[in-house]
Amino acid sequence: MAVYDLEEQEQIDNLKAWWQQHGNLITWTVSALAVAVVAWQGWNWYQGQQAAQASALFGALQQAMVKEDTQRVRTIAGELTEKFGSTAYAPMGTLMAAKVSFESGDAKTARAQLAWVAAHGKDELRDVAHLRLAGVMLDEQAYDEALKELAHKPGPALAAAYAELKGDVLVAQGKQDEARAAYKEALEAQEKDSKDGTGEAGRSPVSQLLHQKLDALGGAA
Amino acid sequence: MFDAVRNNKRIVQVFLLLITVPFAMWGLDSYMNGDGGAAQVARVGDAKITLNQFQQAMREQQDRMRSQFPGVDAKLLDSPAIRESVLNGLVDQQLLLQEVNKQRLGVSVAALQEMIANIPAFQEDGKFSQKRYEEALRSQGMSPVGFEAQLRRDMALQALIGAVGESAFVPRTVVDRVVALQVESRQVQESLISAQALKAGVKLEAGELQKFYDENQARFTLPEQVKVEYLVLSQKNLEAKVSDAEVKAWYEEHKAQYALPEERRASHILLSTDSGDKAKIKAEAEALLAQLQKNPGQFAELAKKRSQDPGSAAKGGDLGFFARGMMVKPFEDAAFGLKEGELSGLVETDFGFHIIKVTGVKAAQPKPFAEVKGEIEADLKRQSAARQFAEAAEGFTNMVYEQSDSLKPAAEHYKLSLQQSGWLTRQGGAAAGVLNHPKLMEALFSDEVIKNGRNTAALEVSPGTLVAARLLEHKPSTLRPFDAVKAEIENQLKEAKAMRAAVEQGEGKLAALKSGKQEGVSWGGSQNVSRMAPGKLDSPALAAVFQVDAGKLPGFAGVELPGVGYALYKVNKVEAGQVDPALAQALGQQLSSIAARAQVEAYMASLRQRYKVEINKAALATKE
């Protein structure tokens, strides 16, 4: 064993005393950190794993859509929501499946699918789901339910689309004055975010349609 | 020496700890590339788009536009609108990328493989070929790893956008209603108040013409014009002389380049290794070779009997003449290494074992001089002209600069004819011919040229063409005298007043009509119009007709038709139109794609808000 001079001996003693006092705390902190890091990595790995499987299903769904295999689209969408409901692929796939259901005339399934996205999706996808759900309800003449969906407040970018559909529902209900107000609100929102030119030619297709719908209600000008 | 450290141990420790923290958290990278790369053009969430990335994207976009519209104006390619749209594209991509990462939208290996396998460029005979894949990527300067990473990313972006866009639909109720609006038919009559008819009655006040002239002088000002003389030094016009001796010398030196290559004729016997045991076949071939070495005369006979090359066997193994590069490498090496009549040993190729006999040699034949003389002469002339041009360009540029008060010395020295232009304006245009180049036009209207009477610099207006010019005559911008434009102004003012009168009259009549007084308006014949089939109505008139409330008929509308007058419309009847199912279906699809686009746009706008996009306007305007 080497011989330490006095100063060094003193330092070693200091160190020992310090460790006596703080050692436990440090050991615990380091262990807790290590556990946290491992848990975090594990969680990431699990999420990545889930996402990879969900992505394969999503790919299969896209293909089934191209092949117009309605049944398969529905099955895959069901699997996505049941097994991979926490991944972003679930609302994405379900939105796609809802279109297929709607177009094949299966309004009931379309409603269920869109309602799932409205409840479990986040941000824009949720907003889009409420909008489309209201559209399906409009076709089913469930006007009050449709208006309830549209009462959900979307991000500002979708406000125009919400107001327009609200106008469509109100027209179907025969409430012309309220419909007119809704279309005007849609036009305002639309023209605010897109820098439309003035006059017929400068209008985007969306605002052209809005103008037509508004004109058709008479006394709008 | 380290006393300072020892005495201030605590301070040093704290300091060391402090500098460790940033390294641990952000790595060395943030020190190395802090802002060594480039200024940022935009910040998207946590990421930034650097000037380099932006400029790269600009170049790509410009290349695309150039290949789509050859001859497009360079200024247009660098316009603020294009810069903005390129940057927006980058920002959108970055936004999607961040959302993809946040949502963990990975793409599975299987999906990636399937995607790649289905790309036609990587297929051979309708099937994916690994070789083809690697070759195709290499020709684009990409590695499979890089390509796959990029494709994976793109697939994830596509999936995200597709989930919003491809899933859009429009309720049938809405489609039916929009279709009904398009085919709704209205029976209308028109009454036109023509401005032309009112023009004769318009009176102008005294002094009105003069006043208009004084207030709108810019309209009556002729632009500044110049007439110039100029010299064109063009590579095309340079007389390049090449002597026959030079051509001959070139020919002698580069004879090999102008020769027909050596050709050989050979016969062979092939024992295919496609099926069966290679060693056994080799032994067979060796036996055959030994037999041939004993009896060379049997070659044709044995070839007929034993060769497994169906093409040549029947001809006694004869392959005809071939040059280098036409046969597989080992075969070629053997065939070109033998003398005429000589027999090879066993030659192994991918096909099997060959025994080769060379039956003819055509040595390389130089092409006769007479045959290639023209070609060489043209080549040499081109080279010489380019050299002369390069030399002349420098001297020419210096001469027009140094003797800047005349172009004559340069004209004489380079034997160029001094040409004159017509009157030119700053805009140039086709009339300016070879002078129509933005830099040259700018120079022609500069003070140097106009006030100081100097030559312009020699400017390269197109590759191999230099132009220098100087002023002959200059017309400053001039105001046309009042008398010359008086009639023009009078006509203009009368038309404007007549138009105003027509609109006023029309609006008055419309108000009267709406309040129930129908007299005093003579209506034209009635016609049926719909949004789909507007007949003679132009779009503002059509919009006015369809704004009439169908609940209160007859209804009235009026619209100003610029340059014509004011049109009144009376809507007598509104009828639902016939719905053609094919039309309804087409419109339904159109509506759904409009909805898809609008929703994708809304999605992107929403991402922009969520991730906070900042654009550095100053950096965006930076030119390369």
Side-chain angles (χ1 to χ4, degrees), chain A residues 157-206:
Chain A
L158 272 168
Y162 267 62
E164 178 173 6
L165 189 59
K166 195 171 156 198
D168 293 333
V169 176
L170 290 165
V171 167
Q173 279 184 306
K175 295 178 181 167
Q176 306 238 336
D177 291 335
E178 287 172 57
R180 202 176 293 134
Y183 285 144
K184 279 186 179 158
E185 189 191 325
L187 258 180
E188 234 166 73
Q190 173 67 24
E191 277 157 13
K192 196 178 66 192
D193 7 288
S194 64
K195 288 157 240 150
D196 278 12
T198 44
E200 281 282 309
R203 280 180 194 152
S204 68
V206 175

Side-chain angles (χ1 to χ4, degrees), chain B residues 505-525:
Chain B
Q505 229 185 74
E507 281 172 350
K509 278 188 182 172
L510 181 63
L513 285 169
K514 278 187 172 165
S515 64
K517 288 176 213 144
Q518 302 216 13
E519 53 276 1
V521 181
S522 59
W523 295 104

Side-chain angles (χ1 to χ4, degrees), chain B residues 341-363:
Chain B
E342 206 178 341
L343 196 65
S344 74
L346 280 193
V347 176
E348 191 184 347
T349 70
D350 290 346
F351 299 102
F353 292 101
H354 306 255
I355 300 166
I356 305 166
K357 189 179 173 188
V358 173
T359 55
V361 174
K362 260 192 224 167

Side-chain angles (χ1 to χ4, degrees), chain A residues 11 44 51 55 63 88-89 92 95 99 102 123-124 131-132 135 139 156-157 168 171 183 209 212 215-216 221, chain B residues 9 103-104 106 108 114 159 164 166-168 171-174 177 181-182 547 591 599 602-603 606 609-610:
Chain A
Q11 278 187 356
N44 269 333
S55 99
Q63 280 185 0
Y89 279 114
M92 283 163 65
L95 271 185
K99 179 196 170 88
F102 173 80
D123 300 318
E124 296 83 11
L131 177 71
R132 294 187 188 158
D139 274 0
D168 293 333
V171 167
Y183 285 144
L209 276 170
Q212 285 188 5
D215 288 350
Chain B
K9 234 190 300 193
Q103 308 276 9
R104 298 171 189 276
S108 69
E114 186 159 345
V164 178
E166 280 162 36
S167 64
R172 288 201 180 84
T173 319
V174 175
R177 206 155 145 264
L181 290 180
Q182 304 314 305
Q547 271 167 13
L591 286 179
Q599 289 174 16
Y603 178 66
S606 180
Q609 277 175 339
R610 226 165 5 103

Side-chain angles (χ1 to χ4, degrees), chain A residues 49-62 72-98 113 116-117 120, chain B residues 105 163:
Chain A
Q49 229 23 42
Q50 287 283 100
Q53 288 177 41
S55 99
L57 270 180
F58 185 81
L61 186 141
Q62 282 176 313
R72 189 157 161 67
V73 169
R74 204 171 132 180
T75 317
I76 296 175
E79 202 179 333
L80 269 175
T81 53
E82 269 167 39
K83 294 192 193 152
F84 303 99
S86 67
T87 67
Y89 279 114
M92 283 163 65
T94 311
L95 271 185
M96 309 264 267
Q113 285 164 331
W116 190 88
V117 181
H120 297 89
Chain B
L105 292 177

Side-chain angles (χ1 to χ4, degrees), chain B residues 251 258-260 365-377:
Chain B
Y251 172 76
Y258 297 100
L260 290 172
Q365 288 171 356
K367 274 191 197 167
F369 178 61
E371 206 175 289
V372 293
K373 188 181 166 199
E375 193 187 321
I376 296 178
E377 202 173 339

